[in-house]
């Protein structure tokens, strides 16, 4: 195939046309590891709340690459030297930054593939692709790991104002219909510059940064931490935990081979070899949905009940509170539920439990968003802003929740 055929164009509902810059990027997009992202939803089970939120991580990764192309153009226009090799490394790193996500994103990390973070799996995929592509991803991996000396390159990929956040806020807002999340990524990118190899935002862009941080806070409360999305993800985590528990006891559950492998084996980062990676790359949302549909009919009361809840969107009740929940409050509910359903008190933990969620739009501990003032001095956005609300955005807000079956109300 000639190279000209690889310079494809994608039609994106948010940015219009997204162009693939070169043959290597095309080949990476075509790779089965990347195509798998078409089968992984970007917002997990949020479509149970927002019916339009069915977009995928494939969408998101291409959107991030598009924004990175814009950022490279703007920075070069302002005199920042970025070599061809560095430009390509930025595109590859942002394109593959989410490639390690499992089905429904975070539920897998907390149940089946325990203690292995999706970023670590992304790195494993990148290393494997680097072998297949004869070392052409080496610089991208260096940047992704934060080992490259030009710090702004990592900031464009992973920071408090990166291409990842700019795309997912705009995209998730568009598909969910939560208008508050719509950020002006075009203007934010136009305001970018680099000073001493650090990414800065020119002072006139400060209001766009404030709007961006406010949008992020609102998207977390209204979409990502929406109580129904939250309880659905918690139930999914419990289903997978129960399925793994039963499988390890020798009970045969109907599911796909890759899913069965991860339920039968404890895979850690140290044991995540090429074979395991290949099996992981065959897992997507369809494996989970298909398994849930089968598990509804299983004899195990816990597995079938929890599976039905997700398939039929008849979820546990969830109550949010700003006060910490005492474990003793749940005891009467557990005793009653155990008696009514002939299960042990320990098993009621699958249906009645508590926890907490946190939301912090801007962290003072992380790498700051730097504002380049007119006198060429640089300040943390919190110091530069005349908005008191930015100080409150950096405050960690914690909410507590309890979940229990509706019939116990």
């Amino acid at each position: 195939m000639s190279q000209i055929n690889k310079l494809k164009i994608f039609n994106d509902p948010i940015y219009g046309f997204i162009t693939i810059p070169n043959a290597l990027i095309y080949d990476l997009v075509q790779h089965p590891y990347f195509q798998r992202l078409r089968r992984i939803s970007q917002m997990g089970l949020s479509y149970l709340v927002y019916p339009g939120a069915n977009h995928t991580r494939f969408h998101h990764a291409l959107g991030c690459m598009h924004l990175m192309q814009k950022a490279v153009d703007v920075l070069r226009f302002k005199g920042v030297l970025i070599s061809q090799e560095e430009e390509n490394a930025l595109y590859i790193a942002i394109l593959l930054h989410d490639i390690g996500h499992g089905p429904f994103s975070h539920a897998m990390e907390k149940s089946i593939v325990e203690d292995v973070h999706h970023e670590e799996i992304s790195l494993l995929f990148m290393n494997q692709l680097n072998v297949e592509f004869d070392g052409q991803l080496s610089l991208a991996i260096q940047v992704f790991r934060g080992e490259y000396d030009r710090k702004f390159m990592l900031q464009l990929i992973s920071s408090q104002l990166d291409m990842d956040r700019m795309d997912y806020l705009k995209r998730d807002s568009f598909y969910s219909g939560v208008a508050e999340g719509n950020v002006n990524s075009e203007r934010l990118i136009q305001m970018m510059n680099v000073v001493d190899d650090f990414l800065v935002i020119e002072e006139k862009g400060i209001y766009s940064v404030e709007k961006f941080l406010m949008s992020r806070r609102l998207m977390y409360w209204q979409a990502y931490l929406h109580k129904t999305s939250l309880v659905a993800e918690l139930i999914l985590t419990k289903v997978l935990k129960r399925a793994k528990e039963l499988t390890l006891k020798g009970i045969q559950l109907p599911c796909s081979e890759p899913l069965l492998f991860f339920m039968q084996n404890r895979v850690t980062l140290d044991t995540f070899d090429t074979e395991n990676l290949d099996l992981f790359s065959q897992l997507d949302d369809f494996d989970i949905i298909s398994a849930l549909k089968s598990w509804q009919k299983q004899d195990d009361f816990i597995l079938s009940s929890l599976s039905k809840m997700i398939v039929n969107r008849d979820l546990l009740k969830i109550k949010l509170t700003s006060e910490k929940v005492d474990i003793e409050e749940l005891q009467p509910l557990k005793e009653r539920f155990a008696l009514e359903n002939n299960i042990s008190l320990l098993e009621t933990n699958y249906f009645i439990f508590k926890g907490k969620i946190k939301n912090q739009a801007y962290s003072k501990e992380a790498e700051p968003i730097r504002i380049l003032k007119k006198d060429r001095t640089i300040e943390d956005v919190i110091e530069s802003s005349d908005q008191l609300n930015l100080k409150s955005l950096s405050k960690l807000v914690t909410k507590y929740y309890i979940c229990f079956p509706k019939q116990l109300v």
Side-chain angles (χ1 to χ4, degrees):
M1 190 189 281
S2 65
Q3 184 167 325
I4 205 78
N5 293 341
K6 294 189 175 186
L7 302 180
K8 298 281 185 193
I9 291 172
F10 286 95
N11 196 346
D12 184 72
I14 293 166
Y15 309 119
F17 293 118
I18 292 177
T19 54
I20 288 190
N22 57 53
L24 174 61
I25 299 289
Y26 173 86
D27 290 337
L28 286 169
V29 169
Q30 280 296 93
H31 196 282
Y33 286 170
F34 192 80
Q35 288 292 319
R36 161 184 167 272
L37 297 181
R38 289 182 185 272
R39 302 184 300 279
I40 301 224
S41 61
Q42 170 70 13
M43 287 179 72
L45 289 160
S46 293
Y47 64 82
L48 294 176
V49 181
Y50 300 107
N54 273 309
H55 56 303
T56 65
R57 293 211 169 259
F58 182 87
H59 264 136
H60 165 60
L62 288 175
C64 290
M65 185 192 70
H66 173 74
L67 293 181
M68 188 66 86
Q69 287 171 296
K70 298 268 181 216
V72 167
D73 289 347
V74 166
L75 294 176
R76 277 195 177 141
F77 180 74
K78 292 181 181 179
V80 180
L81 295 175
I82 299 171
S83 72
Q84 194 69 52
E85 198 191 355
E86 287 173 330
E87 176 185 1
N88 225 17
L90 284 170
Y91 296 159
I92 293 167
I94 197 69
L95 188 72
L96 304 180
H97 77 284
D98 265 352
I99 202 168
H101 267 291
F104 294 110
S105 302
H106 303 288
M108 282 287 287
E109 283 174 40
K110 295 177 187 132
S111 54
I112 291 184
V113 187
E114 292 164 88
D115 309 322
V116 189
H117 196 263
H118 69 86
E119 284 183 359
E120 295 166 325
I121 301 175
S122 291
L123 208 47
L124 292 171
F125 273 124
M126 284 185 184
N127 288 327
Q128 183 57 32
L129 287 166
N130 201 25
V131 172
E132 290 180 33
F133 286 89
D134 303 323
Q136 291 182 83
L137 282 71
S138 297
L139 185 60
I141 291 169
Q142 215 183 329
V143 172
F144 186 76
R145 293 175 70 134
E147 291 167 357
Y148 193 59
D149 55 2
R150 303 192 75 185
K151 289 283 169 268
F152 79 90
M153 288 178 66
L154 176 64
Q155 287 173 290
L156 287 168
I157 294 154
S158 178
S159 67
Q160 300 206 71
L161 189 64
D162 56 24
M163 301 304 118
D164 176 31
R165 290 182 183 190
M166 277 189 216
D167 181 80
Y168 77 60
L169 286 174
K170 201 170 177 67
R171 190 168 298 278
D172 296 351
S173 157
F174 175 87
Y175 281 97
S176 63
V178 178
E180 288 81 358
N182 191 6
V183 297
N184 191 345
S185 46
E186 289 279 321
R187 176 156 172 85
L188 282 165
I189 289 171
Q190 286 297 330
M191 294 297 112
M192 285 181 167
N193 209 332
V194 172
V195 175
D196 298 331
D197 268 334
F198 280 103
L199 195 65
V200 295
I201 300 291
E202 291 161 5
E203 191 174 12
K204 55 183 182 245
I206 193 160
Y207 297 118
S208 302
V209 177
E210 287 175 2
K211 165 78 168 59
F212 168 83
L213 292 172
M214 184 56 83
S215 299
R216 186 161 185 263
R217 178 168 182 263
L218 293 173
M219 274 301 280
Y220 267 84
W221 286 136
Q222 273 187 264
Y224 310 131
L225 296 176
H226 185 289
K227 64 179 190 172
T228 308
S229 310
L230 176 66
V231 75
E233 188 169 304
L234 289 164
I235 293 168
L236 180 57
T237 307
K238 300 266 181 197
V239 176
L240 294 171
K241 271 195 167 150
R242 181 60 174 177
K244 185 161 190 169
E245 197 179 299
L246 294 172
T247 305
L248 293 174
K249 281 181 184 168
I251 297 168
Q252 280 285 304
L253 295 176
C255 66
S256 69
E257 277 179 42
L259 184 56
L260 184 62
F261 173 82
F262 284 99
M263 292 202 304
Q264 286 175 335
N265 298 279
R266 189 166 187 277
V267 180
T268 62
L269 192 57
D270 299 335
T271 59
F272 223 113
D273 56 21
T274 316
E275 210 173 311
N276 291 351
L277 192 65
D278 193 52
L279 278 163
F280 186 85
S281 76
Q282 293 169 44
L283 273 179
D284 54 50
D285 291 4
F286 293 87
D287 296 73
I288 303 294
I289 292 292
S290 165
L292 291 174
K293 284 165 70 180
S294 302
W295 295 346
Q296 292 180 99
K297 302 177 185 71
Q298 287 301 302
D299 294 337
D300 183 70
F301 169 74
I302 297 169
L303 188 69
S304 66
S305 303
L306 294 174
S307 298
K308 280 175 192 161
M309 284 179 192
I310 296 178
V311 175
N312 304 319
R313 198 198 179 275
D314 187 8
L315 308 166
L316 293 170
K317 185 148 185 67
I318 179 167
K319 279 188 177 170
L320 287 177
T321 163
S322 49
E323 302 297 313
K324 208 168 183 176
V325 184
D326 189 357
I327 193 79
E328 294 306 311
E329 286 178 51
L330 303 180
Q331 202 56 28
L333 293 176
K334 288 184 171 190
E335 286 168 7
R336 192 179 132 200
F337 192 72
L339 200 64
E340 285 174 9
N341 295 285
N342 197 22
I343 58 172
S344 71
L345 267 177
L346 187 65
E347 289 173 329
T348 60
N349 291 334
Y350 278 103
F351 299 92
I352 301 164
F353 49 88
K354 68 185 188 80
K356 61 182 175 183
I357 47 174
K358 294 174 179 175
N359 186 0
Q360 187 176 26
Y362 183 72
S363 167
K364 291 187 206 166
E365 280 72 60
E367 182 87 37
I369 296 175
R370 296 174 172 85
I371 301 296
L372 176 66
K373 305 195 71 163
K374 289 189 176 68
D375 62 6
R376 306 300 290 171
T377 57
I378 291 172
E379 239 177 25
D380 187 325
V381 66
I382 288 207
E383 309 308 320
S384 288
S385 170
D386 54 4
Q387 294 278 349
L388 286 170
N389 64 11
L390 265 206
K391 293 221 173 10
S392 67
L393 284 180
S394 63
K395 205 173 89 214
L396 184 67
V397 180
T398 304
K399 286 188 182 178
Y400 301 90
Y401 63 79
I402 58 167
C403 300
F404 52 89
K406 287 173 183 162
Q407 61 265 39
L408 295 179
V409 177

